Amino acid sequence: MSRSPVDRVLGQISEAEVVDLTCQLVRIPSVFRPGEPDADERAVARVVEAWLRREGFSVEVHEVAPGRPNVIGWIEGGTPGPTLCLEGHTDVVTEGDPAAWRHPPWSGLVEDGRVYGRGSADMKGGLAAAMVAAAAVRRAGVPYAGRLMVAALVDEEDAMSGAKHFVGTPLGRAVSAAIVCEPEQNELCLEQKGVFWARVTVHGRMGHGAMPYAAVNPITAAGQFLARLPELERRVQRGVRRSRFLGVPHVTPTVVRAPVGHVAQNNVIPATAELRLDVRLTPGVEPGSVLGALEDLARDTERRCPGARVAVEPVEAPRPATRVERGEAVVRALEWAVRRVRGGRPVFGGVPGSTDGTILHTALGIPIVTFGPGNRLIPHQVDEHVPVAELVEAARCYAAAAVRFLSRRG
Ligand SMILES: [Zn+2]
Protein backbone atom coordinates (compact mmCIF):
# COMPACT_ATOMS: atom_id res chain seq x y z
CA MET A 1 0.00 0.00 0.00
CA SER A 2 1.49 3.36 -0.96
CA ARG A 3 1.23 6.14 1.57
CA SER A 4 0.67 9.75 0.65
CA PRO A 5 3.68 12.10 0.65
CA VAL A 6 2.37 13.87 3.76
CA ASP A 7 1.98 10.59 5.64
CA ARG A 8 5.50 9.62 4.70
CA VAL A 9 6.83 12.93 6.00
CA LEU A 10 4.83 12.78 9.23
CA GLY A 11 6.12 9.25 9.75
CA GLN A 12 9.62 10.74 10.04
CA ILE A 13 8.77 12.90 13.08
CA SER A 14 9.18 11.42 16.54
CA GLU A 15 8.35 13.04 19.85
CA ALA A 16 11.69 11.94 21.30
CA GLU A 17 13.66 13.73 18.62
CA VAL A 18 11.78 17.03 18.90
CA VAL A 19 12.00 16.98 22.70
CA ASP A 20 15.69 16.00 22.79
CA LEU A 21 16.65 18.72 20.34
CA THR A 22 14.64 21.32 22.29
CA CYS A 23 16.35 20.29 25.55
CA GLN A 24 19.75 20.37 23.92
CA LEU A 25 19.22 23.93 22.66
CA VAL A 26 17.74 25.13 25.99
CA ARG A 27 20.82 23.86 27.87
CA ILE A 28 23.03 26.29 25.94
CA PRO A 29 22.56 29.75 27.51
CA SER A 30 22.31 32.31 24.71
CA VAL A 31 21.52 35.55 26.49
CA PHE A 32 23.39 38.37 24.83
CA ARG A 33 25.30 40.29 27.52
CA PRO A 34 27.44 43.02 25.97
CA GLY A 35 31.05 42.93 27.17
CA GLU A 36 30.85 39.41 28.63
CA PRO A 37 32.89 36.81 26.75
CA ASP A 38 30.80 34.07 25.07
CA ALA A 39 27.52 35.59 26.31
CA ASP A 40 26.00 35.48 22.83
CA GLU A 41 24.42 33.13 20.29
CA ARG A 42 27.58 31.51 18.92
CA ALA A 43 27.45 28.22 20.89
CA VAL A 44 23.81 27.48 20.12
CA ALA A 45 24.28 28.54 16.48
CA ARG A 46 27.14 26.06 16.19
CA VAL A 47 24.88 23.22 17.35
CA VAL A 48 22.12 24.26 14.92
CA GLU A 49 24.63 24.44 12.07
CA ALA A 50 26.14 21.01 12.85
CA TRP A 51 22.69 19.43 13.17
CA LEU A 52 21.52 20.82 9.80
CA ARG A 53 24.72 19.75 8.04
CA ARG A 54 24.40 16.25 9.46
CA GLU A 55 20.86 16.10 8.07
CA GLY A 56 22.12 16.96 4.59
CA PHE A 57 21.07 20.61 4.43
CA SER A 58 23.02 23.23 2.53
CA VAL A 59 24.08 25.75 5.17
CA GLU A 60 25.34 29.30 5.22
CA VAL A 61 26.52 31.07 8.36
CA HIS A 62 26.46 34.86 8.32
CA GLU A 63 28.34 36.67 11.07
CA VAL A 64 26.00 39.57 11.84
CA ALA A 65 28.29 40.84 14.62
CA PRO A 66 31.20 39.17 16.43
CA GLY A 67 29.86 36.02 18.12
CA ARG A 68 26.41 36.56 16.63
CA PRO A 69 25.95 34.30 13.59
CA ASN A 70 22.75 33.75 11.62
CA VAL A 71 22.47 30.12 10.50
CA ILE A 72 20.45 29.42 7.36
CA GLY A 73 19.93 25.86 6.16
CA TRP A 74 17.92 24.73 3.16
CA ILE A 75 16.97 21.79 1.00
CA GLU A 76 16.01 21.92 -2.66
CA GLY A 77 13.23 20.03 -4.34
CA GLY A 78 15.04 19.93 -7.68
CA THR A 79 12.41 21.76 -9.73
CA PRO A 80 11.79 25.51 -9.77
CA GLY A 81 9.33 26.83 -7.21
CA PRO A 82 8.86 29.13 -4.26
CA THR A 83 11.02 29.32 -1.13
CA LEU A 84 9.26 28.67 2.17
CA CYS A 85 11.17 29.84 5.24
CA LEU A 86 10.61 28.47 8.75
CA GLU A 87 11.97 31.27 10.91
CA GLY A 88 13.25 31.30 14.47
CA HIS A 89 15.73 33.07 16.70
CA THR A 90 18.59 31.68 18.78
CA ASP A 91 18.87 34.41 21.43
CA VAL A 92 16.87 34.32 24.66
CA VAL A 93 16.19 36.95 27.30
CA THR A 94 17.87 36.97 30.69
CA GLU A 95 16.89 34.33 33.23
CA GLY A 96 16.70 36.98 35.97
CA ASP A 97 17.24 35.55 39.45
CA PRO A 98 17.95 31.79 39.02
CA ALA A 99 16.77 31.20 42.61
CA ALA A 100 13.27 32.29 41.58
CA TRP A 101 13.02 29.28 39.25
CA ARG A 102 11.55 25.95 40.31
CA HIS A 103 14.02 24.19 38.00
CA PRO A 104 17.37 25.76 37.08
CA PRO A 105 16.79 28.00 34.03
CA TRP A 106 19.25 26.12 31.82
CA SER A 107 18.16 22.64 32.92
CA GLY A 108 16.17 21.65 29.84
CA LEU A 109 14.29 19.35 32.18
CA VAL A 110 11.24 17.36 31.08
CA GLU A 111 8.53 16.99 33.72
CA ASP A 112 4.77 16.40 33.53
CA GLY A 113 4.74 16.63 29.75
CA ARG A 114 6.62 19.93 29.59
CA VAL A 115 10.14 21.03 28.75
CA TYR A 116 11.36 23.63 31.26
CA GLY A 117 13.95 26.35 30.88
CA ARG A 118 14.68 29.81 29.53
CA GLY A 119 13.99 29.74 25.80
CA SER A 120 11.96 26.52 25.88
CA ALA A 121 8.94 28.40 24.51
CA ASP A 122 10.65 31.56 23.21
CA MET A 123 11.75 29.96 21.10
CA LYS A 124 14.12 27.06 21.00
CA GLY A 125 11.11 24.73 21.05
CA GLY A 126 9.72 26.30 17.88
CA LEU A 127 13.15 26.29 16.27
CA ALA A 128 13.69 22.61 17.10
CA ALA A 129 10.23 21.78 15.71
CA ALA A 130 11.08 23.63 12.48
CA MET A 131 14.44 21.84 12.14
CA VAL A 132 12.91 18.39 12.67
CA ALA A 133 10.03 19.20 10.30
CA ALA A 134 12.35 20.25 7.48
CA ALA A 135 14.61 17.25 8.07
CA ALA A 136 11.55 14.99 7.92
CA VAL A 137 10.71 16.33 4.46
CA ARG A 138 14.20 15.46 3.30
CA ARG A 139 14.33 12.02 4.95
CA ALA A 140 10.97 11.01 3.48
CA GLY A 141 12.29 11.73 -0.02
CA VAL A 142 8.93 13.12 -1.19
CA PRO A 143 8.77 15.22 -4.36
CA TYR A 144 8.37 18.98 -4.06
CA ALA A 145 9.26 22.13 -5.96
CA GLY A 146 11.37 25.06 -4.81
CA ARG A 147 13.18 25.27 -1.53
CA LEU A 148 12.48 24.69 2.14
CA MET A 149 14.59 26.85 4.43
CA VAL A 150 15.21 27.05 8.17
CA ALA A 151 16.53 30.43 9.35
CA ALA A 152 17.93 30.61 12.89
CA LEU A 153 18.61 34.30 13.43
CA VAL A 154 20.26 36.30 16.21
CA ASP A 155 19.20 39.31 18.26
CA GLU A 156 15.41 39.07 17.96
CA GLU A 157 15.02 40.12 21.58
CA ASP A 158 16.75 43.44 21.03
CA ALA A 159 17.40 45.26 17.76
CA MET A 160 16.48 42.36 15.42
CA SER A 161 19.84 42.85 13.69
CA GLY A 162 19.74 39.18 12.62
CA ALA A 163 16.52 39.63 10.65
CA LYS A 164 17.67 42.98 9.27
CA HIS A 165 20.88 41.34 8.03
CA PHE A 166 19.05 38.30 6.63
CA VAL A 167 16.68 40.34 4.43
CA GLY A 168 19.71 41.97 2.77
CA THR A 169 21.27 38.65 1.68
CA PRO A 170 20.53 36.73 -1.56
CA LEU A 171 19.08 33.87 0.53
CA GLY A 172 16.78 36.24 2.39
CA ARG A 173 15.66 38.01 -0.77
CA ALA A 174 14.70 34.65 -2.30
CA VAL A 175 12.09 33.91 0.40
CA SER A 176 8.52 33.78 -0.97
CA ALA A 177 6.67 33.27 2.32
CA ALA A 178 7.56 32.60 5.95
CA ILE A 179 6.17 30.79 8.95
CA VAL A 180 7.45 32.53 12.08
CA CYS A 181 7.76 29.82 14.75
CA GLU A 182 7.22 32.04 17.83
CA PRO A 183 5.17 30.72 20.79
CA GLU A 184 1.54 31.40 19.98
CA GLN A 185 0.09 28.20 21.48
CA ASN A 186 -0.17 26.82 17.94
CA GLU A 187 -2.71 29.42 16.91
CA LEU A 188 -2.58 30.49 13.32
CA CYS A 189 -1.76 34.18 13.71
CA LEU A 190 -2.71 36.37 10.78
CA GLU A 191 -1.79 39.71 12.35
CA GLN A 192 1.13 41.14 14.29
CA LYS A 193 1.25 44.44 16.07
CA GLY A 194 3.63 47.03 14.72
CA VAL A 195 5.84 49.12 16.94
CA PHE A 196 7.26 52.55 16.98
CA TRP A 197 9.34 54.08 19.76
CA ALA A 198 9.42 57.85 20.07
CA ARG A 199 11.67 60.17 22.01
CA VAL A 200 10.11 63.45 23.17
CA THR A 201 12.70 66.02 24.21
CA VAL A 202 11.51 69.10 26.05
CA HIS A 203 13.97 71.97 26.08
CA GLY A 204 13.50 74.67 28.73
CA ARG A 205 15.87 77.10 30.38
CA MET A 206 17.88 76.16 33.47
CA GLY A 207 17.33 78.21 36.60
CA HIS A 208 17.07 78.46 40.39
CA GLY A 209 14.26 76.51 42.03
CA ALA A 210 13.49 79.56 44.17
CA MET A 211 12.95 81.73 41.12
CA PRO A 212 10.90 79.70 38.64
CA TYR A 213 9.84 82.93 36.94
CA ALA A 214 13.45 83.35 35.78
CA ALA A 215 13.54 79.90 34.12
CA VAL A 216 11.52 77.76 31.71
CA ASN A 217 10.68 74.47 33.42
CA PRO A 218 10.81 71.55 30.96
CA ILE A 219 9.28 69.23 33.60
CA THR A 220 6.08 71.27 33.71
CA ALA A 221 5.88 71.16 29.92
CA ALA A 222 6.56 67.42 29.87
CA GLY A 223 3.72 67.04 32.39
CA GLN A 224 1.38 68.99 30.09
CA PHE A 225 2.37 66.73 27.21
CA LEU A 226 1.76 63.58 29.27
CA ALA A 227 -1.57 64.86 30.58
CA ARG A 228 -2.91 65.19 27.02
CA LEU A 229 -1.55 61.84 25.83
CA PRO A 230 -4.61 59.72 26.79
CA GLU A 231 -6.78 62.01 24.66
CA LEU A 232 -4.42 61.55 21.71
CA GLU A 233 -4.48 57.80 22.25
CA ARG A 234 -8.30 57.75 22.19
CA ARG A 235 -8.27 59.71 18.91
CA VAL A 236 -5.83 57.21 17.35
CA GLN A 237 -8.01 54.35 18.58
CA ARG A 238 -11.19 55.89 17.19
CA GLY A 239 -9.53 56.32 13.79
CA VAL A 240 -9.15 52.61 13.11
CA ARG A 241 -11.38 49.56 13.08
CA ARG A 242 -10.85 47.41 16.16
CA SER A 243 -8.84 44.30 15.25
CA ARG A 244 -10.54 41.04 16.11
CA PHE A 245 -7.21 39.62 17.26
CA LEU A 246 -5.24 42.59 18.52
CA GLY A 247 -7.81 45.04 19.83
CA VAL A 248 -6.82 48.70 19.58
CA PRO A 249 -3.52 50.56 19.18
CA HIS A 250 -1.81 51.98 22.28
CA VAL A 251 0.37 55.00 22.94
CA THR A 252 2.19 54.29 26.21
CA PRO A 253 4.74 56.47 28.03
CA THR A 254 7.50 54.21 29.39
CA VAL A 255 10.35 56.55 30.40
CA VAL A 256 10.40 59.96 32.08
CA ARG A 257 13.79 61.55 32.63
CA ALA A 258 14.88 64.98 33.91
CA PRO A 259 17.39 66.39 34.08
CA VAL A 260 19.07 64.90 31.03
CA GLY A 261 22.86 64.82 30.98
CA HIS A 262 23.58 66.51 34.31
CA VAL A 263 23.12 65.83 37.98
CA ALA A 264 19.67 66.14 39.61
CA GLN A 265 19.52 68.77 42.36
CA ASN A 266 16.58 69.84 44.44
CA ASN A 267 17.02 73.54 43.84
CA VAL A 268 17.84 73.42 40.13
CA ILE A 269 15.27 73.62 37.37
CA PRO A 270 16.89 71.49 34.65
CA ALA A 271 17.40 72.54 31.06
CA THR A 272 15.90 69.44 29.50
CA ALA A 273 13.39 66.66 30.12
CA GLU A 274 12.91 63.51 28.08
CA LEU A 275 9.98 61.14 27.57
CA ARG A 276 9.97 57.82 25.75
CA LEU A 277 6.79 56.46 24.22
CA ASP A 278 6.09 52.87 23.22
CA VAL A 279 3.52 53.03 20.43
CA ARG A 280 1.94 49.71 19.42
CA LEU A 281 0.13 49.72 16.12
CA THR A 282 -2.67 47.54 14.82
CA PRO A 283 -3.32 46.92 11.10
CA GLY A 284 -4.66 50.07 9.47
CA VAL A 285 -2.74 52.57 11.63
CA GLU A 286 0.21 54.15 9.85
CA PRO A 287 3.21 55.11 12.01
CA GLY A 288 3.31 58.45 10.18
CA SER A 289 -0.19 59.42 11.30
CA VAL A 290 0.67 58.78 14.97
CA LEU A 291 3.90 60.73 14.58
CA GLY A 292 1.89 63.58 13.08
CA ALA A 293 -0.52 63.56 16.02
CA LEU A 294 2.42 63.61 18.47
CA GLU A 295 3.90 66.59 16.64
CA ASP A 296 0.57 68.43 16.88
CA LEU A 297 0.57 67.74 20.61
CA ALA A 298 4.14 69.08 20.82
CA ARG A 299 3.09 72.37 19.16
CA ASP A 300 0.09 72.59 21.46
CA THR A 301 2.32 72.04 24.51
CA GLU A 302 4.64 74.83 23.33
CA ARG A 303 1.65 77.19 23.14
CA ARG A 304 0.64 76.29 26.69
CA CYS A 305 4.19 76.53 28.05
CA PRO A 306 5.79 79.68 26.61
CA GLY A 307 9.53 79.35 26.13
CA ALA A 308 9.55 75.53 26.02
CA ARG A 309 10.52 73.71 22.83
CA VAL A 310 9.23 70.18 22.29
CA ALA A 311 10.86 67.83 19.74
CA VAL A 312 9.43 64.43 18.76
CA GLU A 313 11.54 61.88 16.90
CA PRO A 314 11.37 58.12 16.23
CA VAL A 315 14.07 56.20 18.11
CA GLU A 316 14.44 53.83 15.15
CA ALA A 317 12.61 53.13 11.92
CA PRO A 318 8.96 52.35 12.78
CA ARG A 319 7.66 48.88 11.90
CA PRO A 320 4.05 48.87 10.72
CA ALA A 321 1.62 46.18 11.84
CA THR A 322 1.31 43.21 9.52
CA ARG A 323 -1.70 41.36 8.25
CA VAL A 324 -2.02 38.40 5.92
CA GLU A 325 -5.20 37.36 4.14
CA ARG A 326 -6.84 33.99 4.73
CA GLY A 327 -6.59 33.24 1.01
CA GLU A 328 -2.79 33.60 0.89
CA ALA A 329 -1.12 30.32 -0.16
CA VAL A 330 1.00 30.01 3.01
CA VAL A 331 -2.08 30.50 5.21
CA ARG A 332 -4.09 27.97 3.24
CA ALA A 333 -1.22 25.47 3.43
CA LEU A 334 -0.88 25.88 7.20
CA GLU A 335 -4.65 25.74 7.71
CA TRP A 336 -4.76 22.53 5.69
CA ALA A 337 -1.86 21.16 7.76
CA VAL A 338 -3.54 21.91 11.09
CA ARG A 339 -6.72 20.16 9.95
CA ARG A 340 -4.69 17.21 8.74
CA VAL A 341 -2.58 16.90 11.91
CA ARG A 342 -5.12 17.88 14.57
CA GLY A 343 -8.24 16.64 12.84
CA GLY A 344 -10.01 19.92 13.60
CA ARG A 345 -10.14 23.56 12.65
CA PRO A 346 -7.26 25.86 13.51
CA VAL A 347 -7.71 28.66 15.99
CA PHE A 348 -6.88 31.97 14.36
CA GLY A 349 -5.10 34.64 16.36
CA GLY A 350 -2.81 37.67 16.44
CA VAL A 351 0.64 38.36 17.85
CA PRO A 352 0.53 41.04 20.57
CA GLY A 353 4.25 41.80 20.35
CA SER A 354 6.52 42.39 17.43
CA THR A 355 8.78 39.67 15.99
CA ASP A 356 11.37 39.15 13.27
CA GLY A 357 8.32 38.55 11.08
CA THR A 358 7.57 42.27 10.96
CA ILE A 359 11.06 42.84 9.47
CA LEU A 360 10.60 40.04 6.90
CA HIS A 361 7.20 41.39 5.91
CA THR A 362 8.25 45.04 5.72
CA ALA A 363 11.60 44.54 3.97
CA LEU A 364 10.66 41.71 1.60
CA GLY A 365 6.96 42.40 1.09
CA ILE A 366 6.19 38.71 1.64
CA PRO A 367 3.26 37.10 3.47
CA ILE A 368 4.13 35.88 6.95
CA VAL A 369 2.11 33.82 9.34
CA THR A 370 3.06 33.16 12.97
CA PHE A 371 2.50 29.73 14.47
CA GLY A 372 4.45 28.04 17.23
CA PRO A 373 4.37 25.98 20.43
CA GLY A 374 4.16 27.49 23.91
CA ASN A 375 1.73 29.65 25.81
CA ARG A 376 1.63 33.21 24.50
CA LEU A 377 2.03 34.71 27.99
CA ILE A 378 4.95 32.54 29.17
CA PRO A 379 7.91 34.18 27.33
CA HIS A 380 10.30 36.16 29.57
CA GLN A 381 8.68 34.75 32.78
CA VAL A 382 10.40 32.50 35.32
CA ASP A 383 9.60 28.78 35.01
CA GLU A 384 9.25 29.19 31.24
CA HIS A 385 8.11 25.92 29.71
CA VAL A 386 6.64 24.41 26.57
CA PRO A 387 4.17 21.50 26.42
CA VAL A 388 5.60 18.45 24.66
CA ALA A 389 2.28 17.87 22.88
CA GLU A 390 2.43 21.35 21.32
CA LEU A 391 6.06 20.87 20.29
CA VAL A 392 5.25 17.71 18.40
CA GLU A 393 2.08 19.15 16.91
CA ALA A 394 4.01 22.19 15.67
CA ALA A 395 6.68 20.01 14.02
CA ARG A 396 3.98 17.96 12.29
CA CYS A 397 2.10 21.07 11.15
CA TYR A 398 5.27 22.74 9.77
CA ALA A 399 6.14 19.59 7.84
CA ALA A 400 2.65 19.09 6.39
CA ALA A 401 2.35 22.80 5.52
CA ALA A 402 5.73 22.72 3.78
CA VAL A 403 4.79 19.73 1.62
CA ARG A 404 1.46 21.35 0.77
CA PHE A 405 2.94 24.77 0.02
CA LEU A 406 5.79 23.44 -2.08
CA SER A 407 3.68 21.00 -4.06
CA ARG A 408 1.30 23.63 -5.44
CA ARG A 409 1.60 24.26 -9.14
CA GLY A 410 2.65 27.58 -10.67
ZN1 LIG B 1 10.75 35.13 20.49
Side-chain angles (χ1 to χ4, degrees):
M1 201 178 81
S2 75
R3 296 161 76 209
S4 76
V6 169
D7 284 329
R8 280 159 54 200
V9 170
L10 294 180
Q12 294 291 330
I13 295 174
S14 80
E15 176 180 308
E17 186 179 24
V18 188
V19 170
D20 288 350
L21 183 56
T22 302
C23 294
Q24 198 188 340
L25 299 180
V26 168
R27 288 180 193 132
I28 306 168
S30 53
V31 183
F32 179 64
R33 305 183 212 266
E36 274 183 43
D38 299 330
D40 49 39
E41 297 94 337
R42 89 182 74 184
V44 70
R46 215 173 282 139
V47 169
V48 172
E49 179 194 354
W51 194 96
L52 292 171
R53 286 196 194 281
R54 223 169 27 242
E55 289 294 330
F57 285 67
S58 304
V59 178
E60 281 188 16
V61 178
H62 302 150
E63 196 86 353
V64 176
R68 314 199 74 182
N70 281 347
V71 180
I72 298 107
W74 70 94
I75 50 176
E76 308 257 7
T79 50
T83 295
L84 176 66
C85 177
L86 305 175
E87 195 269 351
H89 60 85
T90 47
D91 59 323
V92 297
V93 296
T94 174
E95 72 279 29
D97 176 9
W101 289 65
R102 203 153 66 86
H103 305 297
W106 313 112
S107 65
L109 201 97
V110 186
E111 189 183 86
D112 299 333
R114 296 162 161 182
V115 177
Y116 281 87
R118 173 59 79 229
S120 53
D122 186 14
M123 55 163 288
K124 289 168 172 172
L127 178 58
M131 290 162 69
V132 170
V137 173
R138 189 184 130 77
R139 289 176 201 156
V142 297
Y144 62 93
R147 183 191 275 173
L148 178 58
M149 183 185 282
V150 176
L153 309 182
V154 298
D155 191 32
E156 192 273 346
E157 298 291 359
D158 189 21
M160 302 190 181
S161 57
K164 289 172 186 168
H165 184 278
F166 176 61
V167 298
T169 64
L171 280 175
R173 283 196 295 270
V175 175
S176 322
I179 298 176
V180 179
C181 307
E182 290 273 5
E184 294 296 335
Q185 48 212 32
N186 288 352
E187 289 181 10
L188 210 160
C189 295
L190 304 174
E191 298 182 348
Q192 290 205 355
K193 276 190 188 174
V195 60
F196 140 49
W197 290 325
R199 181 193 295 117
V200 181
T201 311
V202 185
H203 301 276
R205 194 171 68 246
M206 203 175 171
H208 199 301
M211 293 166 280
Y213 39 83
V216 175
N217 194 336
I219 298 177
T220 314
Q224 286 277 351
F225 187 97
L226 280 177
R228 311 282 302 269
L229 208 53
E231 191 186 309
L232 178 148
E233 184 186 49
R234 279 195 296 276
R235 255 198 332 275
V236 171
Q237 291 172 347
R238 277 198 302 270
V240 65
R241 201 165 47 139
R242 186 187 170 84
S243 155
R244 187 180 136 205
F245 304 118
L246 301 175
V248 293
H250 286 284
V251 181
T252 306
T254 48
V255 177
V256 179
R257 189 181 292 143
V260 180
H262 57 86
V263 72
Q265 288 189 314
N266 236 73
N267 58 352
V268 177
I269 295 169
T272 318
E274 183 183 299
L275 310 173
R276 294 289 184 106
L277 309 177
D278 186 352
V279 181
R280 299 290 167 154
L281 307 159
T282 54
V285 191
E286 289 308 314
S289 73
V290 182
L291 187 59
L294 290 170
E295 268 158 6
D296 289 347
L297 180 55
R299 299 295 82 76
D300 187 63
T301 305
E302 288 171 345
R303 274 192 294 277
R304 287 161 185 270
C305 305
R309 202 160 54 72
V310 185
V312 181
E313 58 188 331
V315 174
E316 61 168 45
R319 287 193 296 274
T322 72
R323 185 182 155 68
V324 62
E325 298 304 326
R326 282 279 297 271
E328 200 56 71
V330 66
V331 177
R332 289 207 319 269
L334 191 53
E335 183 174 356
W336 180 88
V338 173
R339 285 177 191 276
R340 184 73 173 62
V341 167
R342 193 183 289 164
R345 305 175 43 210
V347 177
F348 289 92
V351 181
S354 171
T355 70
D356 281 342
T358 50
I359 306 272
L360 304 186
H361 175 79
T362 309
L364 301 172
I366 57 164
I368 58 151
V369 56
T370 311
F371 180 96
N375 185 290
R376 175 176 296 142
L377 301 178
I378 202 76
H380 306 194
Q381 294 189 14
V382 299
D383 296 330
E384 180 179 343
H385 60 266
V386 63
V388 167
E390 283 183 30
L391 274 180
V392 179
E393 186 184 75
R396 293 167 64 84
C397 289
Y398 296 151
V403 172
R404 182 78 169 180
F405 183 84
L406 296 173
S407 66
R408 73 205 168 102
R409 290 164 204 275

